Every structure is written in structure tokens, then in C-alpha cells.
Amino acid sequence: HKKDSVKNDGDHYFNLDEDDEWEYDADDKEEPLTWSEGDEPSNFCDWTIEVQRIVHEQESDTALKNQGKDNSKYNNKHGGGKRGKENNSSKNEEPGTNSNVKCYHVHKAILSVGPRRSDYFATLFKQSHLSEFATNTSHIQLEPSAADSFPALLDYIYTEKMIKFSAKNATALRHLAHYFGMRPLWKQASAFIRGDFSLDTAATYLSEAIVYHDEKLENASIAILAENIEEINRRTLTKLSPSSFERIFASPRLKCRSRKLSDIVLKYCQTQGGSVDMSLLMKCTRSEVMPSVSRKAALPLLKVAVAGEQKAGVDM
């Protein structure tokens, strides 16, 4: 009888159908780990990535102008004073200021493991003797478009969502993928650029290619713009820096009737304001490139030349 009792007890304790005492809701699901931005890290974060946005002179001037406007609005509304905490590494800053630093709290295991891992971080996290481990923080400087695209990079690592590429972020994301050792993402960005590349997007890709020293993309952009310069619209012209405009005119692929070319040069000067200097104007209107000028562009171009002459303090 004792053996039978033990057997029955065993049946009771190992009967999986009798789980009334097991308090578990099958619908309850644990929230997935996520990265976070700002002062407060999300659950179980064990590493911080501090991204500093590289500010160029032109961007800095624009930011200072906007800062002045923001400060004026803030002071009028609140009578001066300071703001509370910001979602970056600096705290209690004056209103309107921006340290151009953002902190992202992440998980080492997610960044360094899996098909979407970063080889950069996988290698880094094995080097515990490095100075980063004193504060568990990586300090990284990025160009503006790369800094803006960094959250999308983290989303790519943490989730199975596809990145939404565009002409404005594809080159930056491809740069980030190369920098952080993420070949699948690099391939996706490259495939998007090949499919999206056209006369309409070439000016955007050219400016981004210059930033990230992508010579192949630079040359392809210059070539398509030079070959189709007669079809370039005003919006595309405004995206071209003077140096890029000069490179298009110097390209052996340049195809354009002389009088049409004079109209394009005039249109570019009008869109760029005072940023077109005499040197560029002379190169674009030299007789080898522009033997004749359209009636519509002749007088306005002469006025542009005179204004440039006065600005440069020379007498042509």
C-alpha cells in the first residue's frame, strides 16, 4: 500500500493538466528591450552612446540666428530664466541653446549579437581595458545627416522593421553601416541608392557624397547633372553649392546649347544670391563654354557681373 501511495502522489505532482495553482496569464507578454534617448535610460540599459553633431560654419551661423529668435520669444513669454532638463548631455541650459550632443542608452548584448549586430560594438565590448569602460560610454562625432539618422540605425538593430530610406538619409545610413560594421544594412542602402538615383535626386546625392567622401557617387552625380543640365529645374539648382556648380561646368560630359547655358547660369546666380563670386561667373561664361548669350540673360548677367565687380573691389 505504501508504494501505491507514493505512485499516486507522483501522479498528482506531475499531472500537467492540474495547474490550478500555477498563476500565469498566457496573454501576458514581456515588453521587448528598447533603446532610449535622454537622461533616463530604459530597462536594463548597460551602455551609453554619446553622439556629437558636427556643426559647420554655415550651419552654426543659422543656428545662432535661430537661437536669438528663440531666446527673444522665450524671454517675452517667461520673463527670462532657465529651462529644465534637456534630452541631451547638458542640463539647465539657456533657452534656445543646443549643445549638439545626444545620449542614447542601449544594451550591449543587442548591439553585439544577432544578424543585425554591429561588428564595431561587438569588437569594442571585448576590449574591457579601453577607457570607454570607465563610464560605459562611447563618444562619437557624426556629420549632421548621420546624427539625424542614428535613431533609425538603432531601430534597425533593435527591431525587425525595415528602414525608410530617402535621398536625404540613404548616403548617411550607408556611411553609418560602414562605420559600425553592419554589412546587411550597407547592402540595403546601396540598393536603394541605385534604384533612387536620377536627375531629380542627383543634387541631393552629390551634396551628401561630398560630405562622406564617396567619390563614386560624386562622379556619377556630376555626370548625370552635366549631361542633362538643360533639364535641371530651379529647385535642383538651389541645392548645388558654387563648387559643385563649377564642377558640372568643368565636366567633359557637359551637354548644353550656349544660349540655354547662359539662361541656366543666370538662374543659378538668382537662386544663390551673393554667394556666386566673380571667379565662378568668369569660369562659367568663358567663351570656350559659352560663345553666345541669350537676349533674356545678357543684361541681367551683366548686372550680376557689375555687382560682383563692385563687391570684389576690382575694375573689369
Side-chain angles (χ1 to χ4, degrees):
H1 297 291
K2 189 174 182 180
K3 290 183 178 180
D4 292 340
S5 176
V6 172
K7 183 178 180 181
N8 291 336
D9 287 344
D11 290 341
H12 171 74
Y13 286 111
F14 293 101
N15 187 346
L16 300 181
D17 293 331
E18 296 181 13
D19 56 357
D20 294 338
E21 297 181 3
W22 185 265
E23 296 181 0
Y24 173 76
D25 189 346
D27 294 331
D28 288 345
K29 294 182 179 179
E30 293 184 0
E31 293 185 3
L33 295 177
T34 60
W35 61 272
S36 62
E37 175 188 344
D39 295 320
E40 297 298 329
S42 57
N43 291 339
F44 306 111
C45 287
D46 54 2
W47 196 262
T48 299
I49 304 173
E50 186 178 279
V51 174
Q52 180 176 8
R53 181 190 184 96
I54 299 172
V55 180
H56 299 282
E57 184 176 354
Q58 183 177 1
E59 186 181 1
S60 179
D61 292 341
T62 302
L64 287 173
K65 291 179 181 178
N66 292 335
Q67 176 184 331
K69 295 178 182 178
D70 293 341
N71 284 345
S72 178
K73 292 179 181 178
Y74 184 93
N75 290 331
N76 290 337
K77 184 176 180 181
H78 299 282
K82 297 184 178 181
R83 291 187 295 182
K85 295 182 178 179
E86 293 293 319
N87 285 336
N88 51 44
S89 62
S90 297
K91 303 172 184 177
N92 298 325
E93 298 179 75
E94 291 295 334
T97 59
N98 181 5
S99 66
N100 296 298
V101 175
K102 289 188 176 182
C103 292
Y104 300 93
H105 305 284
V106 295
H107 306 82
K108 291 190 289 185
I110 293 180
L111 262 60
S112 59
V113 178
R116 295 190 173 195
R117 70 182 181 277
S118 162
D119 289 340
Y120 171 94
F121 284 110
T123 301
L124 172 66
F125 295 149
K126 296 176 183 178
Q127 311 294 323
S128 58
H129 62 281
L130 297 177
S131 59
E132 286 93 330
F133 282 84
T135 57
N136 290 335
T137 302
S138 294
H139 302 274
I140 299 169
Q141 289 187 325
L142 295 176
E143 293 288 346
S145 56
D148 292 340
S149 300
F150 192 76
L153 180 84
L154 293 179
D155 282 340
Y156 172 84
I157 296 175
Y158 271 78
T159 70
E160 296 183 358
K161 295 180 181 178
M162 297 296 292
I163 283 184
K164 293 182 179 179
F165 291 104
S166 68
K168 293 181 179 180
N169 69 12
T171 309
L173 283 166
R174 184 164 72 170
H175 166 77
L176 288 173
H178 181 266
Y179 185 94
F180 290 111
M182 301 168 64
R183 185 164 180 78
L185 179 58
W186 186 91
K187 287 184 176 180
Q188 290 180 30
S190 298
F192 176 85
I193 292 172
R194 285 194 298 270
D196 186 59
F197 187 77
S198 67
L199 180 61
D200 292 334
T201 59
T204 300
Y205 282 119
L206 175 58
S207 61
E208 287 293 283
I210 292 172
V211 169
Y212 298 107
H213 309 289
D214 190 331
E215 292 185 8
K216 187 175 181 180
L217 186 55
E218 276 187 57
N219 295 333
S221 300
I222 291 291
I224 192 173
L225 289 167
E227 289 177 353
N228 302 277
I229 194 169
E230 290 191 13
E231 301 175 35
I232 293 179
N233 57 38
R234 182 179 290 269
R235 180 181 298 178
T236 300
L237 282 175
T238 59
K239 296 178 182 179
L240 297 171
S241 66
S243 60
S244 295
F245 192 71
E246 181 179 341
R247 287 180 63 184
I248 293 171
F249 268 72
S251 171
R253 301 261 189 123
L254 182 66
K255 295 179 181 179
C256 188
R257 294 164 293 171
S258 178
R259 294 183 180 181
K260 178 65 176 177
L261 201 59
S262 66
D263 292 337
I264 293 172
V265 172
L266 174 61
K267 189 185 298 183
Y268 182 74
C269 291
Q270 292 171 339
T271 61
Q272 297 298 310
S275 63
V276 178
D277 58 22
M278 282 300 297
S279 174
L280 176 60
L281 188 60
M282 294 298 291
K283 290 177 181 178
C284 293
T285 58
R286 66 186 190 276
S287 59
E288 297 88 347
V289 177
M290 192 185 298
S292 60
V293 182
S294 72
R295 292 182 179 180
K296 182 176 68 175
L299 184 58
L301 276 177
L302 182 59
K303 291 180 178 179
V304 171
V306 171
E309 184 180 308
Q310 293 175 343
K311 183 178 178 181
V314 297
D315 187 359
M316 301 297 290

